[in-house]
Amino acid sequence: MAEQYLELPNFPYRFDLLLDIARRNAYPARMIVAGDSLWRFVGGKLLCFSQDRNVIVVTGPALCKSDRPQLRDLSRRILGLDRDLSAFKAIARRDARLWRHIEPSLGLPLFCAETVFEALITLIIEQHISWKSALRSQRRLMRILDCGVKAGGFEVFDFPTPGQLAALEAKHLKPLKITNGRINLILSIARDARDGVLDLEGLRHLKPSEAYSRLMSIKGVGHWTASNVLGRAFGEYPYVSHNDVALQSAVNHYFYQGAGEKSARQVVETLEAYGEYAGLLGHFILIRWVLDKYPVAH
């Protein structure tokens, strides 16, 4: 085993909050918390992340020198070490009503999925079902493909590649307990990504608006999925997920004390008053909702 070190950024960064969110996953698979450490696969390697003063300590297999820069860059992106939220925090602090709702979750990094493929497939699974049910289905997917490794009494999963997923048939995904339409969509995207018809990683080189349009052009992908892929894969939140029922409940609860309607219109009218930060605000309102409503699961 070898150690590497990632310097913490100058802007507020709370690794402890990242652990707190991960502990609330009812069916953990990609991010496993053990004590004050976070285990997950990065670049096909099982790594352990922990904080020691002003650095994130990365423990994992000894790597050749040529592999280390890629692994370091991937880890920084996944852990949100390069996404400075200082400007957003300054805007929020000037609004007392807003600040009291999101201050508990600020400092939480904009952690990301490793690939756009992972972000898209997990979000398709999450369409129209509860968060807990979606987490259960995602873990079943990784178990079907035998992507897990046992470490220290728990099992950590890597996410399947497009090729691995494309090799399956619809009957293999029945244990996910999602609709046939979503099963077929997942397999179609996996096969197109495997065959080079769909270049998902290439979306990283586009403006968020262009990446959003490309995602929306995929049959079966709507606003909620496309906008959340930008957040989950890139840490970008240019759009408000107004049709997210959890966000509708959260906005109604925090801004209106549960009075009035829980609706997309209420979300839009409330959040879009904050201009370019509306989507990011929606993200942090949802994080606050998770912290308040979901108990630590493990």
Side-chain angles (χ1 to χ4, degrees), residues 103-215:
E103 190 275 335
S105 58
L106 279 179
L108 175 73
L110 294 178
F111 57 95
C112 295
E114 183 173 337
T115 66
V116 183
F117 178 73
E118 176 186 342
L120 179 55
I121 297 303
T122 54
L123 282 161
I124 289 170
I125 291 173
E126 291 171 27
Q127 291 174 349
H128 312 302
I129 59 176
S130 71
W131 186 47
K132 285 186 177 181
S133 296
L135 291 173
R136 186 192 300 118
S137 296
Q138 289 164 13
R139 189 165 69 174
R140 284 174 176 159
L141 172 63
M142 288 177 268
R143 280 184 167 164
I144 288 169
L145 286 156
D146 196 22
C147 298
V149 171
K150 290 188 176 179
F154 51 87
E155 194 168 19
V156 187
F157 293 88
D158 200 359
F159 200 77
T161 65
Q164 288 174 315
L165 195 45
L168 300 181
E169 298 178 13
K171 64 182 180 182
H172 298 130
L173 298 186
K174 289 295 184 181
L176 272 60
K177 296 185 178 180
I178 59 176
T179 64
N180 291 334
R182 278 183 285 157
I183 287 174
N184 291 331
L185 176 58
I186 287 170
L187 292 175
S188 174
I189 288 171
R191 288 162 186 163
D192 284 349
R194 176 198 61 188
D195 298 340
V197 176
L198 186 60
D199 180 15
L200 291 172
E201 287 305 306
L203 299 180
R204 295 188 185 279
H205 307 298
L206 303 178
K207 294 178 180 179
S209 59
E210 295 173 351
Y212 172 84
S213 295
R214 295 280 184 91
L215 290 164

Side-chain angles (χ1 to χ4, degrees), residues 8-30:
L8 289 176
N10 293 325
F11 56 87
Y13 182 96
R14 292 188 57 187
F15 184 72
D16 64 309
L17 264 181
L18 174 53
L19 295 179
D20 199 14
I21 289 293
R23 288 189 185 102
R24 293 165 197 275
N25 289 348
Y27 300 93
R30 285 291 273 145

Side-chain angles (χ1 to χ4, degrees), residues 237-253:
Y237 291 88
Y239 303 104
V240 176
S241 298
H242 52 78
N243 52 343
D244 188 312
V245 293
L247 181 57
Q248 291 172 14
S249 294
V251 166
N252 186 260
H253 174 77

